[in-house]
Amino acid sequence: MQPDSGPGVGPSPREAAAFLLERIHQGNGYAHSRKRRFGRSASLTKVATLVLSAASTVILGLQNLNAWAGLALACMALVTLLGAVEPFFNWRSRWVLMEEAQYRFRRLADELEYLLATTAADDLTFDQLGEFFGRYQAIWDDLSRTWLEHRREPSASSNA
């Protein structure tokens, strides 16, 4: 935001609101992109684990074929590896965390847009915008705090 003109002249409340609204939309976009990525990763890990477990079980049922038994053993090793990797990255909890953040950003944007639509330009105050900015910061604070709590846990599988 650039001042209108001259020293000491800052943006109007409408300009500040537009700036804040853009920041809220950027936060929502961030949460949306991460939510999609984490959701795909969580789903892929679960599907891969299921397919490998099922394949190894079926293949072990055909024990008289050495090549099949070797393949089953490899599948079980990969299932074990995925079972260890998934809790470390904790895709599902991260996915849900971004879903919540995106909901909160959308809600905040809706409320700010409603305030802008129902308040005359001269009646909009920086105090009103300060409340919205505080809530915007609280969303980021909660997101960061929760993220750190998940990463500090020795086994993130209890959050999934």
Side-chain angles (χ1 to χ4, degrees):
M1 289 182 301
Q2 296 292 327
D4 290 338
S5 63
V9 177
S12 70
R14 283 269 177 203
E15 291 168 331
F19 174 77
L20 179 56
L21 190 56
E22 178 58 28
R23 297 296 300 214
I24 292 168
H25 286 303
Q26 287 174 357
N28 186 40
Y30 171 84
H32 176 72
S33 68
R34 293 303 185 270
K35 178 186 77 173
R36 288 185 63 200
R37 185 173 121 208
F38 299 153
R40 279 192 307 267
S41 297
S43 299
L44 180 63
T45 302
K46 287 293 184 188
V47 168
T49 301
L50 175 65
V51 168
L52 291 171
S53 292
S56 62
T57 302
V58 169
I59 292 168
L60 284 174
L62 307 170
Q63 289 180 5
N64 59 350
L65 300 175
N66 287 339
W68 288 109
L71 181 60
L73 186 59
C75 288
M76 287 308 297
L78 288 173
V79 167
T80 302
L81 177 67
L82 286 174
V85 167
E86 196 280 330
F88 178 77
F89 288 108
N90 203 8
W91 299 117
R92 189 171 190 281
S93 291
R94 293 162 71 183
W95 174 21
V96 171
L97 182 63
M98 291 305 148
E99 179 77 28
E100 178 188 1
Q102 192 174 17
Y103 160 77
R104 292 177 67 193
F105 281 128
R106 278 191 201 131
R107 172 94 186 219
L108 187 61
D110 287 347
E111 291 176 15
L112 181 55
E113 288 168 348
Y114 180 79
L115 176 71
L116 291 172
T118 59
T119 305
D122 294 340
D123 295 337
L124 188 63
T125 67
F126 284 107
D127 288 339
Q128 290 170 310
L129 296 178
E131 176 193 340
F132 281 93
F133 183 72
R135 290 172 55 200
Y136 168 76
Q137 291 292 90
I139 293 169
W140 281 114
D141 288 345
D142 291 346
L143 184 62
S144 296
R145 180 188 41 76
T146 304
W147 170 256
L148 289 173
E149 286 172 5
H150 286 301
R151 298 311 309 154
R152 283 186 185 119
E153 293 175 1
S155 174
S157 61
S158 63
N159 296 325

